[in-house]
Amino acid sequence: LLETSPGVAEVTFVEKEPAERHTIVSWEQKNSCILPEDLKNFYLMTDGFQMTWSVKTDDTPMPLGSMVINSISKLCRLGGSSMYTLPNAPTLADLEDDTDEEGDGDKPEKPHFDSRSLIFELDPCNGNGKVCLVYKHAEPVVSPDTEIWFLDRALYWHFLTKTFTAYYRLLITHLGLPQWQYAFTSYGVSPQAKQWFNMYKPITINTALLS
């Protein structure tokens, strides 16, 4: 689909070997949690996913679309370490504010940076935020239930999907367009990103229906 779109150049798909089963088991042991079945099956097919594409402006290709799922070795925990290298420096857990609105009505409860949740980075989003695999209930034992959330640049949480498979479909559907995750926030995508959306429409733009 991308290769037949006008102006699109250099569609690159990086083939990756499957992750070895013992690598997944050691990740689970190290992090004291079980990977959701769909994500585990994904890693057993391919250790991550990377696809990029460019557009031609004045005959010069400019990188635009990027679809990434971190490999199992880069599925790193967020919030545990200090944000700075100084001793006693603040961590993400210090941002916790119990006055934050909790899940009520149709809004799911947000993840926590402290020990109440386990958060792992699935997609660095080219620096526009982070898509995370979240175990929301980690105390006293880690619940196997997971969700996919988007953490924006201002460190606010936005719910994306309940399962990895649903997120993977969203990623493909939006063609890896810049900042597409912001379509699922209350403030939406930036005007510049909206222009790219208009030129290379996601396979479906009805985000309310998708979510």
Side-chain angles (χ1 to χ4, degrees):
L1 177 71
L2 276 169
E3 285 171 338
T4 58
S5 300
V8 170
E10 297 179 358
V11 179
T12 309
F13 172 62
V14 180
E15 286 207 38
K16 295 172 183 276
E17 293 292 314
E20 295 187 14
R21 199 171 284 275
H22 71 81
T23 311
I24 294 172
V25 171
S26 63
W27 183 94
E28 291 179 329
Q29 289 173 341
K30 175 187 162 192
N31 293 291
S32 306
C33 55
I34 303 293
L35 274 179
E37 204 61 31
D38 56 355
L39 182 54
K40 193 183 293 188
N41 289 336
F42 175 80
Y43 280 133
L44 288 170
M45 286 190 298
T46 170
D47 189 11
F49 176 77
Q50 188 178 345
M51 187 171 181
T52 57
W53 54 279
S54 303
V55 290
K56 274 194 175 173
T57 53
D58 301 327
D59 288 333
T60 310
M62 179 188 86
L64 185 69
S66 174
M67 294 173 246
V68 173
I69 304 287
N70 280 341
S71 64
I72 188 92
S73 62
K74 289 185 179 172
L75 191 63
C76 299
R77 187 173 173 196
L78 248 68
S81 60
S82 168
M83 292 190 287
Y84 309 97
T85 50
L86 300 170
N88 303 322
T91 65
L92 282 170
D94 293 315
L95 293 170
E96 278 304 322
D97 179 4
D98 283 332
T99 59
D100 275 1
E101 71 273 22
E102 289 302 351
D104 59 347
D106 59 343
K107 281 191 177 178
E109 179 192 340
K110 290 179 180 170
H112 298 281
F113 289 118
D114 57 21
S115 57
R116 285 174 286 178
S117 302
L118 286 179
I119 303 162
F120 300 94
E121 182 187 299
L122 268 177
D123 178 358
C125 305
N126 273 349
N128 289 315
K130 291 178 188 299
V131 170
C132 301
L133 173 72
V134 176
Y135 295 77
K136 278 201 300 197
H137 306 291
E139 292 179 335
V141 292
V142 182
S143 162
D145 298 329
T146 56
E147 292 174 349
I148 309 295
W149 286 71
F150 176 56
L151 179 66
D152 69 20
R153 288 285 301 264
L155 301 179
Y156 286 106
W157 287 107
H158 309 274
F159 176 75
L160 289 178
T161 65
K162 278 204 171 297
T163 65
F164 168 75
T165 303
Y167 171 70
Y168 188 60
R169 286 180 181 143
L170 281 189
L171 176 67
I172 304 294
T173 296
H174 286 82
L175 311 175
L177 284 161
Q179 303 172 26
W180 71 263
Q181 294 89 353
Y182 282 89
F184 292 84
T185 68
S186 56
Y187 22 87
V189 295
S190 68
Q192 185 188 10
K194 208 170 269 183
Q195 288 183 327
W196 291 118
F197 266 59
N198 289 336
M199 282 180 70
Y200 299 98
K201 277 195 174 64
I203 297 168
T204 170
I205 194 70
N206 190 340
T207 50
L209 189 66
L210 275 171
S211 59

